[in-house]
Amino acid sequence: MTLARANPSVLSRISPSTRFARTRPQIRTYAAPGEGAIPAAKRKYVPTTGTYPLGFRAGSAHVGVKPSNTRFDDLALIASDQPCSAAAVFTTNKFQAAPVTVSREILKKRKGDGVRAVVVNSGCANAVTGKGGIEDAITMGLQTDKCFEEESNGEDDGQGSRTIVMSTGVIGQRLPIDKITSKVPTAYYNLGGTHDHWLSAARAICTTDTFPKLLSRTFTLPSSQEEYHIVGTTKGAGMIHPNMATLLGIICTDAPIAPAPLQTLLTSAITKSFNSISIDGDTSTNDTVAILANGAAGGSTIDSAQHPDFNHLQKTLTDFAIDLAKLVVRDGEGATKFVTIRVTNAASYDDAKRVASTIARSPLVKTALYGKDANWGRILCATGYAEGVSSVVPTETSVSFVPTDGSEELKLLVKGEPEQVDETRAGKILEAEDLEILVRLSENESGEEAVYWTCDFSHEYVTINGDYRT
């Protein structure tokens, strides 16, 4: 990183110690495409093995969508050997990116049936790019479709494209569409079912992420003897806040699920996962989480919410989506802490979630956490200005820090009365990477609870976003 040369006349009026503090270069802890290795502290979140769904393959290719990316793959393709049920949840931002518009129309036209693939580019969001951007997104999908038409001898069911399209990166720039379409066949020929294939695809969708986010696991259903598999990859590190955040997510399973219940399952799972995280309070133009189910593992098709396996599958998918969403928060731009905010004893789930969300996006709370300052007043303040909440009663509200080592919670405020805080213990709790903030809105133990995940704000966040576009 090149530093601007300081004015000698200014430096002469600053003490040597202050001068060093103000001019020493910052060491970046993120690794955007073109920059390098995964930070040592983040390597533990990258799996070395995995168990992947039957009939799904992943691949990637290098396009160089962003000119500074000269060597990392930035085009990912995830595909099924057979047509899938598909569902997705999209951003609510009014300026919706071209791939969001195009993918929503594809799923609508196909009624969530017969989808074969998801194609993703990083480096350019294809957002706010007008009619040309829409054409580019359509072209990406059609080029991917051609790969599968060759595979199936040109069979066409007349329902349009079978490919969901996603893009992530800089807003307001057109895709280098010819470069991308020329490399789609490469990504297709690179498809494979090994852990390395999936990890390469997960890496290819990263932007300012410091590590590829990939999870896989197996599960069973009560009425079936089959073993099922689920895999998910996601990206996101900044511009993260519901509904939804700047993130992309792709989940695949070999369980047999019809399109209508699949959409219900995903929408519900998103509520308590990707719509319960915040890094900086900004909601993007491109957010998409899609799920594909090809039924390759066999068993009875889950065709409605009344199916005996539906509720079990709902919990399985929700828990999986929560773990996947947590990886996004753990990779928050410049973040040093992973913070769980638990709001309990509320009159309604919505009240609890609104309070948790307000605390999560408070810059003052987040900067205090970065500074390891037990400033519970900021937490209380955010609780008090949460909009549309009727559950907050000052004389019944309590705030605590819950350590991750299993020791007793540190009470900061009890029923509106401040506690004598052990600052030494508070400091030790705040030294840890993980922290839970517990807010009880009343003494009603049967009240509703919501959980949110967020991170702190550091100097690094400003550094990353100050030069992101270039």
Side-chain angles (χ1 to χ4, degrees), residues 89-93 100 167-168 234-249 270 273-289 325 328-329 452-453:
V89 176
F90 300 98
T91 181
T92 57
N93 193 305
V100 170
S167 298
T168 183
T234 186
K235 65 80 51 186
M239 203 182 281
I240 302 290
H241 191 72
N243 288 305
M244 288 183 313
T246 284
L247 58 86
L248 302 179
I270 292 295
S273 58
F274 289 102
N275 275 347
S276 290
I277 61 174
S278 182
I279 286 176
D280 48 20
D282 276 327
T283 298
S284 171
T285 55
N286 287 59
D287 316 325
T288 305
V289 175
V328 175
V329 178
Y452 228 81
W453 296 277

Side-chain angles (χ1 to χ4, degrees), residues 9 28 38 47 51 69-70 81 111 129 132 166 179 226 238 242 246 280 282 310 356 361 364 370 386 442:
S9 65
R28 298 191 179 194
I38 298 168
T51 347
N69 175 21
T70 59
D81 294 338
K111 298 181 181 178
T129 46
M166 300 182 187
K179 290 175 67 177
E226 309 295 339
T246 284
D280 48 20
D282 276 327
F310 182 88
R361 69 174 182 266
L364 290 179
Y370 174 65
S442 73

Side-chain angles (χ1 to χ4, degrees), residues 9-69:
S9 65
V10 173
L11 288 177
S12 66
R13 298 194 296 272
I14 304 175
S15 68
S17 60
T18 303
R19 186 186 312 165
F20 174 76
R22 291 185 180 179
T23 61
R24 67 172 182 258
Q26 294 189 38
I27 300 173
R28 298 191 179 194
T29 57
Y30 71 99
E35 295 204 3
I38 298 168
K42 302 295 180 71
R43 290 174 194 159
K44 60 188 175 185
Y45 302 119
V46 181
T48 56
T49 60
T51 347
Y52 298 102
L54 303 178
F56 280 101
R57 296 171 291 155
S60 62
H62 175 256
V63 176
V65 173
K66 200 170 184 179
S68 60
N69 175 21

Side-chain angles (χ1 to χ4, degrees), residues 54-111:
L54 303 178
F56 280 101
R57 296 171 291 155
S60 62
H62 175 256
V63 176
V65 173
K66 200 170 184 179
S68 60
N69 175 21
T70 59
R71 59 195 179 99
F72 291 104
D73 286 1
D74 50 0
L75 181 69
L77 178 61
I78 293 174
S80 172
D81 294 338
Q82 60 196 59
C84 300
S85 296
V89 176
F90 300 98
T91 181
T92 57
N93 193 305
K94 289 183 174 61
F95 289 95
Q96 299 194 348
V100 170
T101 300
V102 169
S103 293
R104 180 187 283 111
E105 287 304 308
I106 288 170
L107 289 173
K108 182 180 179 181
K109 185 174 182 180
R110 301 198 67 88
K111 298 181 181 178

Side-chain angles (χ1 to χ4, degrees), residues 337 368-375 401 410 412 421-435:
K337 296 194 180 304
L369 292 170
Y370 174 65
K372 304 178 180 65
D373 179 9
N375 195 335
F401 285 159
L410 177 63
L412 308 171
V421 178
D422 182 342
E423 294 290 348
T424 301
R425 182 165 183 246
K428 288 182 179 179
I429 292 173
L430 289 167
E431 284 286 343
E433 179 182 343
D434 288 23
L435 167 71

